[in-house]
Amino acid sequence: MTTPFLVLPRPGTVPSSNAAPPIPAPSEAAFVGTFGNRLPPASYLHTPHGKVAYYELSPSSQVAIEGTQPVSRVLFVHGVQTPAIGLQPLATALSSRFPSAHLVLVDLWGHGLTDTPWVAHDASLFHGLLDTLMAHLGWTDAHFIGYSFGGSTTASFAAAYPERVASMVLVAPAGLRRAAALDPVQQGYLRGGEGLEEAARDWILEVLEGGQLVVPSDWKERVVRGEVVAEAVRDWEMKEHAGHVASVVAIFRDGGILDKHVEFAKAAATGVRCQCVLGELDDLCSVQDLSELGMQQVVVVPQVGHAVVRQRVPEVAGVIEAFWKKLQE
């Protein structure tokens, strides 16, 4: 499948009365045929911006009495590029530890099986997705787990709607790098414009990947063994999801990857209980970055980088379990 080069609107663009329809996502059959059924069957939420896919890990135990468990509703918010399946190992681990909890993972705009809306990809677009999904589920609030860009989105959502966030876990959150630290050429890529878009796309994808995307040669065998091979998932999206790359570029520029310090500080000031988890080798965010903004509860997992959420599932799940149990104290 050849994906045409697309550039989505930027914030502040006056919407056209004849706005383009959303770019449709690939089919669930195509995704499952490639990566198996690690996730539950997708459910779909139809919104004015497009179709949203989400996945429910329903409670497997009814023995808990309402109000006696620290968590009952959990919403997972993934990072840029890798969709909900990237958080499936962590969700499964937590589901086994909290069998009475209802856990939901969602594919954000332009990812997985969710459409790409032809609108600016600012934080409010993703806040609207989360709010609409929660309303659809009948949830007044939820315990959030946000990873990378999902951590930035969770923090800014908590800052704007603290009553909707029962607690939040931020794993390797994005949002605290400063655009001012980029060189003039890179800052030009953020602004974009005629003649810059293809170079900007290439630069953004390389920054997010930490270099060129390399799909392991044994990824199919690893998928058969039940692994989530994130590089293969990202490669599949770039080839099969016509709006994915445009969404990735738009999120990097406008969605909350950079300069979200004010939102993090506001989230910390709300009083919403928060636990942060960082990989020791990850340079995206530091203990000091979070502490300066009022987020003091941070656990650092040794000898792992940004992929801590997948590479060290038992440790991350253990931190979250301890945090959730303390919510009752």
Side-chain angles (χ1 to χ4, degrees), residues 6-321:
L6 304 171
V7 180
L8 296 172
R10 302 299 298 276
T13 303
V14 178
S16 168
S17 57
N18 297 314
I23 304 165
S27 70
E28 183 175 16
F31 189 83
V32 171
T34 305
F35 298 107
N37 56 356
R38 291 295 302 270
L39 288 167
S43 298
Y44 292 96
L45 176 62
H46 296 270
T47 81
H49 288 309
K51 184 175 64 176
V52 176
Y54 66 96
Y55 313 87
E56 298 183 79
L57 280 69
S58 298
S60 58
S61 170
Q62 300 300 324
V63 299
I65 300 172
E66 182 68 26
T68 65
Q69 293 297 299
V71 297
S72 57
R73 300 175 299 275
V74 183
L75 185 56
F76 291 79
V77 189
H78 66 75
V80 68
Q81 292 187 293
T82 306
I85 195 173
L87 295 181
Q88 178 272 329
L90 178 61
T92 299
L94 290 171
S95 182
S96 68
R97 298 179 189 215
F98 295 87
S100 63
H102 183 187
L103 282 60
V104 173
L105 304 94
V106 59
D107 284 334
L108 298 177
W109 296 120
H111 289 71
L113 305 182
T114 290
D115 295 345
T116 296
W118 198 263
V119 295
H121 279 43
D122 57 10
S124 66
L125 178 70
F126 295 91
H127 294 171
L129 185 157
L130 299 177
D131 186 64
T132 301
L133 176 59
M134 291 174 70
H136 174 72
L137 294 169
W139 291 2
T140 56
D141 63 11
H143 297 269
F144 279 67
I145 297 176
Y147 168 64
S148 193
F149 166 65
S152 172
T153 301
T154 294
S156 60
F157 185 82
Y161 308 101
E163 71 283 358
R164 309 301 301 279
V165 183
S167 74
M168 56 183 169
V169 176
L170 309 181
V171 183
L176 299 182
R177 284 184 172 174
R178 297 187 184 275
L182 300 173
D183 66 38
V185 172
Q186 295 166 341
Q187 292 182 19
Y189 291 154
L190 286 183
R191 291 190 297 272
E194 187 174 354
L196 287 176
E197 292 301 334
E198 293 197 37
R201 174 200 60 192
D202 294 344
W203 172 71
I204 288 169
L205 291 175
E206 186 167 338
V207 168
L208 291 171
E209 195 64 41
Q212 294 297 312
L213 174 61
V214 178
V215 180
S217 59
D218 63 345
W219 73 269
K220 291 183 179 179
E221 291 83 358
R222 290 167 60 184
V223 167
V224 170
R225 293 198 299 266
E227 292 185 43
V228 175
V229 184
E231 297 88 350
V233 175
R234 295 196 288 269
D235 183 65
W236 183 89
E237 287 180 302
M238 292 173 67
K239 293 174 180 175
E240 303 298 332
H241 193 317
H244 173 68
V245 172
S247 274
V248 168
V249 171
I251 287 169
F252 189 93
R253 283 172 163 167
D254 304 315
I257 298 293
L258 304 166
D259 295 329
K260 285 296 178 180
H261 300 75
V262 170
E263 288 79 2
F264 272 72
K266 285 182 178 178
T270 63
V272 173
R273 299 277 291 275
C274 178
Q275 173 71 63
C276 301
V277 185
L278 306 180
E280 179 188 20
L281 307 180
D282 188 6
D283 63 357
L284 189 65
C285 177
S286 71
V287 174
Q288 182 178 347
D289 291 334
L290 294 165
S291 178
E292 289 175 350
L293 297 170
M295 294 184 171
Q296 307 291 342
Q297 197 162 324
V298 185
V299 171
V300 178
V301 181
Q303 299 181 336
V304 68
H306 192 63
V308 59
V309 77
R310 287 183 294 276
Q311 294 179 357
R312 303 293 280 275
V313 169
E315 291 97 321
V316 175
V319 172
I320 296 171
E321 179 182 13

